[in-house]
């Protein structure tokens, strides 16, 4: 017998034995209801790890009572940039950036806004898709009523109440929803006025959804949390108050405002920030941005970065030349995007 023939027969025998062993393992797994192949690379999602979140004191805690800090990314206005509301984009942010929360920003009065001639059915469909993708990926998701040029949230209060009533009725049984009911009140709108609006919208949400966290905007583009701390909304649980900053503009003075609010017991959530100037454009200040991140982590404050788009401005996380809408590569990222991806 030739040597080559012997080797082939020997290998054939080993393959037969190996095949029998694999079949035996498969049968045992089926009988014991064990997974056939171990999921070495699969870990639990943020939602599986933490479950439904709630407010305890000034912090967010998970279903086990452990403090949680969310790292989020906000879309730009979904009426401008709907293409970034997709599962691939969210998955890339989750798996490569460490993001566990998506904010769906729906402008109310700007270009094709919900209250200014925009297609309301189409905008709600984009939100529904965004919630669906985030939920499938086990991420938390913020439904943001993005007032800006309307300034005073009471201007469109009737539509806001109807909108959030619909959202709460639809998502009341989900554990990953946040309702942000007024992005940035401005134009000298007082806390008294905002509080009146917020109470009406909160009542509409809580008629259906008793547990998910509600985020309330604060005066002066969501910066006067220290003023709100002296007169917060009462009678409802799981309410937080938003603070926004842009690192190249807002510095120590604004951190002092947040610290004072927290010291008074106000639960603060940074639902929008950037590392540019407050216009969203201009210079970038990474040093100040790093100081802010250290401050937020020290105080266990969750934060959401503006914004996932290729708009040609400093705060955008993607370069204006990027055409990719998911599975982002380093070459797609702006200076702000590269910085935020590195934040741990």
């Amino acid at each position: 017998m030739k040597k080559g023939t012997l080797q082939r027969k020997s290998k054939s025998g080993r393959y037969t034995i190996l095949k029998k062993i694999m079949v035996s393992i498969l049968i045992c797994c089926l009988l014991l209801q064990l997974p056939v192949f171990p999921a070495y690379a699969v870990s639990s999602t943020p939602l599986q790890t933490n479950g439904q979140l709630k407010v305890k004191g000034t912090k967010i805690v998970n279903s086990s009572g452990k403090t949680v800090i969310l790292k989020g990314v906000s879309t730009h206005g979904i009426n401008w940039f709907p293409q970034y509301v997709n599962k691939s984009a969210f998955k890339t942010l989750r798996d490569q950036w460490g993001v566990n929360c998506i904010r769906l920003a729906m402008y109310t009065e700007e270009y094709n806004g919900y209250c200014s001639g925009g297609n309301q059915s189409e905008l709600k469909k984009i939100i529904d898709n965004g919630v669906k993708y985030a939920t499938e990926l086990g991420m938390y998701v913020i439904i943001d009523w993005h007032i800006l040029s309307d300034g005073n949230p009471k201007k469109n209060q009737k539509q806001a109440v109807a909108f959030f009533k619909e959202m709460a009725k639809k998502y009341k049984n989900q554990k990953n929803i946040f309702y942000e009911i007024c992005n940035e009140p401005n134009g000298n709108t007082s806390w008294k006025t905002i509080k009146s609006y917020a109470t009406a919208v909160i009542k509409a949400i809580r008629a259906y959804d008793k547990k998910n966290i509600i985020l309330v905007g604060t005066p002066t583009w969501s910066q006067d949390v220290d003023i709100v701390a002296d007169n917060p909304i009462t009678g409802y649980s799981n309410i937080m108050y938003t603070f926004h900053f842009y690192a190249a503009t807002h510095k120590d003075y604004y951190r002092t405002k947040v610290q004072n609010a927290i010291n008074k017991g106000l639960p603060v959530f940074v639902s929008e920030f950037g590392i540019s100037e407050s216009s969203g454009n201009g210079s970038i200040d990474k040093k100040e941005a790093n100081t802010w991140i250290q401050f937020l982590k020290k105080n266990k404050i969750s934060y959401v970065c503006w914004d996932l788009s290729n708009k040609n401005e400093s705060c955008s996380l993607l370069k204006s030349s990027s055409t990719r809408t998911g599975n982002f590569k380093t070459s797609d990222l702006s200076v702000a995007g590269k910085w935020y991806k590195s934040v741990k």
Side-chain angles (χ1 to χ4, degrees):
M1 184 180 294
K2 293 181 180 179
K3 184 177 181 181
T5 304
L6 179 61
Q7 286 178 332
R8 283 194 295 273
K9 286 189 175 181
S10 177
K11 287 180 180 178
S12 177
R14 288 200 298 272
Y15 290 151
T16 301
I17 293 171
L18 181 60
K19 184 177 180 180
K20 289 180 178 179
I21 292 172
M22 291 300 293
V23 170
S24 297
I25 291 173
L26 177 61
I27 292 172
C28 289
C29 287
L30 291 173
L31 290 173
L32 296 173
Q33 296 184 325
L34 296 174
V36 176
F37 300 106
Y40 295 113
V42 177
S43 59
S44 60
T45 67
L47 184 57
Q48 288 172 334
T49 299
N50 294 301
Q52 186 148 30
L53 305 177
K54 64 180 179 180
V55 181
K56 184 177 181 181
T58 62
K59 301 175 179 63
I60 294 176
V61 299
N62 65 15
S63 56
S64 300
K66 181 179 178 181
T67 300
V68 172
I69 302 175
L70 297 180
K71 176 186 178 181
V73 164
S74 179
T75 68
H76 200 294
I78 59 173
N79 38 332
W80 271 293
F81 296 95
Q83 65 269 36
Y84 296 103
V85 181
N86 69 78
K87 193 170 182 179
S88 174
F90 295 178
K91 186 176 189 298
T92 302
L93 294 174
R94 186 194 69 177
D95 295 349
Q96 297 182 22
W97 297 42
V99 166
N100 50 21
C101 179
I102 296 293
R103 182 186 190 228
L104 302 171
M106 185 185 72
Y107 279 83
T108 51
E109 285 212 352
E110 273 63 28
Y111 170 75
N112 286 334
Y114 190 86
C115 303
S116 60
N119 187 323
Q120 294 187 355
S121 295
E122 185 60 30
L123 289 169
K124 286 188 284 191
K125 183 179 179 181
I126 296 170
I127 287 176
D128 290 341
N129 285 339
V131 172
K132 176 177 179 287
Y133 303 142
T135 303
E136 289 173 350
L137 293 165
M139 303 172 76
Y140 296 92
V141 58
I142 301 170
I143 300 172
D144 167 33
W145 184 257
H146 202 86
I147 72 161
L148 191 62
S149 63
D150 22 356
N152 187 333
K154 288 187 77 69
K155 181 178 180 181
N156 293 306
Q157 178 173 315
K158 185 176 180 179
Q159 293 205 63
V161 167
F163 172 81
F164 280 108
K165 186 179 291 186
E166 181 179 347
M167 294 296 109
K169 190 174 182 179
K170 184 181 298 182
Y171 295 121
K172 63 183 178 181
N173 294 321
Q174 291 196 199
K175 299 180 179 181
N176 62 329
I177 306 295
F178 284 74
Y179 305 99
E180 184 170 1
I181 63 175
C182 49
N183 167 58
E184 288 182 352
N186 60 80
N188 295 316
T189 304
S190 69
W191 171 237
K192 181 180 179 181
T193 298
I194 299 166
K195 186 178 181 182
S196 172
Y197 161 87
T199 302
V201 178
I202 290 169
K203 182 179 179 180
I205 292 172
R206 287 291 184 246
Y208 298 98
D209 189 333
K210 309 295 185 184
K211 295 183 178 180
N212 280 311
I213 294 173
I214 298 173
L215 306 177
V216 181
T218 57
T220 319
W221 291 278
S222 284
Q223 291 169 358
D224 292 342
V225 287
D226 50 338
I227 292 174
V228 172
D230 292 326
N231 185 24
I233 295 166
T234 59
Y236 297 96
S237 60
N238 292 330
I239 306 296
M240 303 189 81
Y241 301 85
T242 63
F243 179 82
H244 293 178
F245 72 88
Y246 282 79
T249 299
H250 306 117
K251 305 188 179 186
D252 280 337
Y253 170 77
Y254 293 89
R255 283 189 287 275
T256 299
K257 288 169 73 70
V258 177
Q259 191 65 64
N260 288 340
I262 293 170
N263 291 347
K264 292 178 181 179
L266 194 77
V268 175
F269 190 111
V270 174
S271 61
E272 181 182 317
F273 83 95
I275 68 173
S276 67
E277 297 173 20
S278 57
S279 64
N281 213 348
S283 64
I284 277 177
D285 193 334
K286 289 194 280 187
K287 181 180 178 181
E288 193 67 29
N290 288 329
T291 300
W292 267 110
I293 293 296
Q294 293 169 7
F295 172 82
L296 297 175
K297 289 184 175 180
K298 177 183 177 182
N299 287 284
K300 312 297 183 186
I301 298 174
S302 295
Y303 49 92
V304 178
C305 191
W306 180 269
D307 66 89
L308 182 63
S309 79
N310 66 349
K311 186 177 180 181
N312 187 21
E313 59 183 16
S314 305
C315 65
S316 300
L317 299 176
L318 303 175
K319 291 179 179 176
S320 58
S321 59
S322 173
T323 58
R324 208 183 304 269
T325 58
N327 192 28
F328 308 113
K329 309 302 181 185
T330 301
S331 59
D332 294 302
L333 306 185
S334 66
V335 173
K338 290 175 183 176
W339 173 83
Y340 196 53
K341 183 180 178 181
S342 72
V343 171
K344 304 298 181 185

